[in-house]
Amino acid sequence: MKIKSFLIFGLIIGVVSLFALYPRQIEDPIEKEAVILKSVVNILERAHFKPKDINDDFSKKVYQSYLDLLDGGKRFLIQADVDKLKPYEKQIDDEILATKLNFFNASLDIINAAQSRVKSFYKEILAKPMTFNEKETISYDFDKMPYAKNEKELYARWEKILKANVLDEIVQVQNGQENDSLKVDKSEIKSFATIEKEAREKVLKDYDRLFERMEKLRREDRFSDYINSITEQFDPHTSYFSPNDKEDFDIGMSGRLEGIGARLQADGEYTKVSEIVVGGPAWKEKNLEAGDVIMKVAQEGQPAIDIRGMRLDDVVSKIRGKKGTKVILTVKKVSGTMQNITITRDEVLMDESFAKSVIIGQEGVLENIGYIYLPKFYADFDNNKGRFSFTDVAKEVEKLKKANVNGIILDLRNNPGGSLNDVVKMAGLFIEQGPIVQVKSRENEPYVMNDEDKNYAYDGPMVVLVNHQSASASEILAAALQDYKRAVIIGGTSTYGKGTVQRFVDLDRTVSVANNLKPLGQLKLTIQKYYRINGGSTQLEGVTPDIVLPDAFNYIKIGERENKSAMEWTKIAPARYTQNVFVINNMDDIKAKSKKRVETNPLFKAIDENAHRIKEQSDKKIYTLELDSYKKDMNSRKEQTKKFNALFKEIPGLSVENIPEDAKLIQRDSANIARNQTFIKNIKKDVYIEEAMQVIKDLQTDRMSLTDKKRQIEEKN
């Protein structure tokens, strides 16, 4: 397996090395875009799993995709603007092959002018009082909506857009007043005129911030969109990452960064601290607090830089830095005082990104069940002491084994995937050894990725929880355990349906250019498809759980199949596989028992009814702008949601306890205690976990019955 993985990497490096055909010095920095475009297209043509013909049909798709990225809501461009771009519709393929950017350059001039035009619209519209007694409607069906014919029609469209925003603010304030009518003095109740005026002022501030952000968009931001309108025609998961985007991706994948440990947010022209990461440098230093506004940033020994009006990603890049270096922040405290705060950068771990476990039980059902929550398949390859999801889950399993748990529930809900190698190793915790997934490259026969370790960590009953957002690596693990009949998979109608494998290619290694143009960024490239060991694919179809439960998204279109450029479903020959650690041979009985429980559970009935409501709401594209009707509609939805949420109370008899060695760590600080309390509280309300416990009980009971039968047969013999 390792050899073949190495060969794939070698193939890519070998391919991209063929592209180093540019001169070593490029005078004009704008030529950097041409270098990126040429390199990306060459890699796509030579190394993508299923390359596309770059022709007129391809050009039309790129054209439409890029227009959607420029103005998907059709709020800025008018038909005359689109007409100026229309001649390029069938020329983009020629420009791509000739490494020209005429279409892209033209689009920048047009969208910038369009946004400037609209900036005068919203200020003028919001300066006048609005009425909401006419039977007007607004449509959000952007696919069917035409571009405005002219500026007059666009202005009228913005009148409706802003009217809808103001209307929503008015209804919120009115509802608040009505709910507090018994607590507030009547003289303090605002008139409609006052509410309407304050709503317009609020919306004006919101749009001022929106346009401030749009004005900070750089050419390189738009260029990333343009490149990705090309890459997405190959498949939805092939995409270009600018250097900043790649850094953010790596942080998300590893759960680790080097910096000060503070989350920031844009607040107008300022940057505000939104959260301090527990255990990070800022948390240890104690002076920086949530709510502080950062005014200036200085590196040790250098003058401070005023960051007012600076883009958030630029501010972040100045604050992040190598472990051991110092950064000085000039902040305005919530109290209004100014303070210089020096923080020594260090490694910051995002604890909420990592696996964790607790012991759960329910009186009268089954006690002492292990529950493992895995938010993603993380892997930190760039750090010798980095964390990997496989090793962390193995540790959690070991802790649960020491606690003599009667079963394990592995929660992969909303897990987007991650490291393929970690999936293979993790599956090996629950079987002796054998194939886990089949992987096929573009022109090669499929090869099998095996768990090579004959040992296993756990041999008891097991349930895996999934949902519509469980994707990629999550689907591999769920599919393997399902095919081996090792675990019961529980979830909605299907998982996400992503059956492709990506690798990053560093564009700096594909061309030989002057250093002042680097870094060029990286291309996340689909190079393989993976298949279940039974030969089927999770692509498009996902994994269908053994037990399908009511779910909020069971009736709406969601997942890989909704991507226009998604690859097709295919099938290959199955691998040979078997395991004897724990084999579920009575799945029909398990499913029948679960179905009976679910049908009599009022909460699952409510979830199904709510799923139908979500479907109706997602299908609705037209909304009223008449106050009474809008208010009635919104309040009806709000009341339905309130009644639905009220059903989720702590499940009687459900207990959740931290493993003793974890409890000691949690008690070290108040933030960890608060997060743990929220985690436990959510488990206690989770009806899916309750049903998973019932299934564990059924598995345990049936296993004991099978053992008794086997003993009886042996005694007779």
Side-chain angles (χ1 to χ4, degrees), residues 563-583:
N563 292 311
K564 294 178 182 177
S565 59
M567 290 187 181
E568 70 278 11
W569 182 90
T570 51
K571 188 176 182 180
I572 61 174
R576 296 179 63 182
Y577 58 96
T578 184
Q579 64 89 17
N580 295 297
V581 176
F582 186 109
V583 182

Side-chain angles (χ1 to χ4, degrees), residues 404-553:
N404 295 313
V405 293
N406 293 310
I408 286 180
I409 300 168
L410 177 60
D411 195 342
L412 301 181
R413 288 175 294 178
N414 301 309
N415 185 316
S419 169
L420 186 61
N421 287 330
D422 278 69
V423 178
V424 175
K425 293 178 181 178
M426 199 178 297
L429 294 172
F430 310 108
I431 64 168
E432 306 100 331
Q433 67 179 123
I436 305 301
V437 64
Q438 301 189 82
V439 182
K440 187 183 185 312
S441 300
R442 182 162 137 188
E443 295 176 353
N444 298 326
E445 290 298 312
Y447 72 92
V448 178
M449 296 183 72
N450 292 283
D451 164 44
E452 306 288 357
D453 190 349
K454 294 181 180 180
N455 298 314
Y456 52 88
Y458 176 70
D459 65 354
M462 185 176 179
V463 163
V464 178
L465 287 173
V466 295
N467 64 6
H468 294 282
Q469 296 299 334
S470 302
S472 194
S474 299
E475 297 174 286
I476 293 174
L477 183 56
L481 295 178
Q482 186 179 60
D483 290 344
Y484 272 112
K485 296 182 180 180
R486 174 65 184 87
V488 179
I489 314 302
I490 299 178
T493 51
S494 72
T495 55
Y496 188 84
K498 178 183 179 290
T500 55
V501 182
Q502 288 73 42
R503 293 285 183 270
F504 274 97
V505 179
D506 188 347
L507 300 187
D508 287 352
R509 300 179 65 180
T510 71
V511 293
S512 182
V513 295
N515 286 331
N516 67 303
L517 294 181
K518 296 179 179 179
L520 299 173
Q522 300 201 27
L523 180 67
K524 181 159 71 77
L525 180 71
T526 296
I527 59 168
Q528 297 166 318
K529 286 180 75 173
Y530 67 78
Y531 296 84
R532 302 173 65 139
I533 53 177
N534 70 5
S537 174
T538 63
Q539 179 64 14
L540 296 183
E541 293 187 358
V543 176
T544 302
D546 301 305
I547 294 175
V548 176
L549 298 180
D551 180 89
F553 302 114

Side-chain angles (χ1 to χ4, degrees), residues 20-32 35 511-518:
L21 304 174
Y22 293 95
R24 292 190 173 274
Q25 297 294 326
I26 296 180
E27 299 292 333
D28 188 350
I30 295 178
E31 285 295 317
K32 178 176 181 176
V35 173
V511 293
S512 182
V513 295
N515 286 331
N516 67 303
L517 294 181
K518 296 179 179 179

Side-chain angles (χ1 to χ4, degrees), residues 255 263 275 277-278 349-356 373-376 378 675:
R263 291 189 173 91
E275 184 184 351
V277 178
V278 174
L349 294 177
M350 309 299 187
D351 286 339
E352 66 271 26
S353 301
F354 302 130
K356 52 187 171 183
Y373 171 65
L374 183 64
K376 57 188 169 186
Y378 48 88
R675 276 201 294 264

Side-chain angles (χ1 to χ4, degrees), residues 475-699:
E475 297 174 286
I476 293 174
L477 183 56
L481 295 178
Q482 186 179 60
D483 290 344
Y484 272 112
K485 296 182 180 180
R486 174 65 184 87
V488 179
I489 314 302
I490 299 178
T493 51
S494 72
T495 55
Y496 188 84
K498 178 183 179 290
T500 55
V501 182
Q502 288 73 42
R503 293 285 183 270
F504 274 97
V505 179
D506 188 347
L507 300 187
D508 287 352
R509 300 179 65 180
T510 71
V511 293
S512 182
V513 295
N515 286 331
N516 67 303
L517 294 181
K518 296 179 179 179
L520 299 173
Q522 300 201 27
L523 180 67
K524 181 159 71 77
L525 180 71
T526 296
I527 59 168
Q528 297 166 318
K529 286 180 75 173
Y530 67 78
Y531 296 84
R532 302 173 65 139
I533 53 177
N534 70 5
S537 174
T538 63
Q539 179 64 14
L540 296 183
E541 293 187 358
V543 176
T544 302
D546 301 305
I547 294 175
V548 176
L549 298 180
D551 180 89
F553 302 114
N554 273 357
Y555 302 116
I556 66 173
K557 295 178 179 179
I558 190 170
E560 182 82 355
R561 61 176 61 89
E562 295 310 303
N563 292 311
K564 294 178 182 177
S565 59
M567 290 187 181
E568 70 278 11
W569 182 90
T570 51
K571 188 176 182 180
I572 61 174
R576 296 179 63 182
Y577 58 96
T578 184
Q579 64 89 17
N580 295 297
V581 176
F582 186 109
V583 182
I584 303 170
N585 291 314
N586 56 330
M587 185 64 77
D588 289 342
D589 291 340
I590 298 293
K591 291 164 70 172
K593 290 176 182 178
S594 177
K595 183 179 180 182
K596 189 174 181 179
R597 285 191 297 268
V598 170
E599 287 175 344
T600 58
N601 189 322
L603 194 48
F604 278 124
K605 182 180 179 182
I607 291 172
D608 190 60
E609 290 172 353
N610 187 59
H612 281 287
R613 283 198 297 271
I614 291 174
K615 172 71 165 72
E616 291 174 7
Q617 291 173 17
S618 69
D619 289 342
K620 186 174 181 178
K621 304 294 183 184
I622 298 175
Y623 290 85
T624 180
L625 294 177
E626 193 271 320
L627 177 59
D628 291 339
S629 298
Y630 180 85
K631 189 173 181 179
K632 183 179 179 181
D633 185 27
M634 291 299 106
N635 287 347
S636 174
R637 291 188 183 193
K638 189 175 181 180
E639 190 61 30
Q640 288 175 341
T641 302
K642 186 178 179 181
K643 287 181 179 178
F644 176 69
N645 290 337
L647 295 171
F648 290 86
K649 300 175 182 178
E650 289 193 5
I651 297 168
L654 182 58
S655 62
V656 183
E657 295 180 0
N658 293 112
I659 298 170
E661 58 191 282
D662 293 338
K664 293 178 183 178
L665 297 173
I666 292 166
Q667 294 300 319
R668 286 183 177 179
D669 66 81
S670 57
N672 273 343
I673 292 171
R675 276 201 294 264
N676 183 61
Q677 287 174 341
T678 300
F679 181 60
I680 288 176
K681 186 177 180 181
N682 289 336
I683 291 174
K684 288 183 175 181
K685 294 181 178 181
D686 197 323
V687 68
Y688 298 97
I689 292 176
E690 181 187 28
E691 177 56 25
M693 292 173 63
Q694 293 277 7
V695 171
I696 290 284
K697 181 183 178 181
D698 293 339
L699 286 170

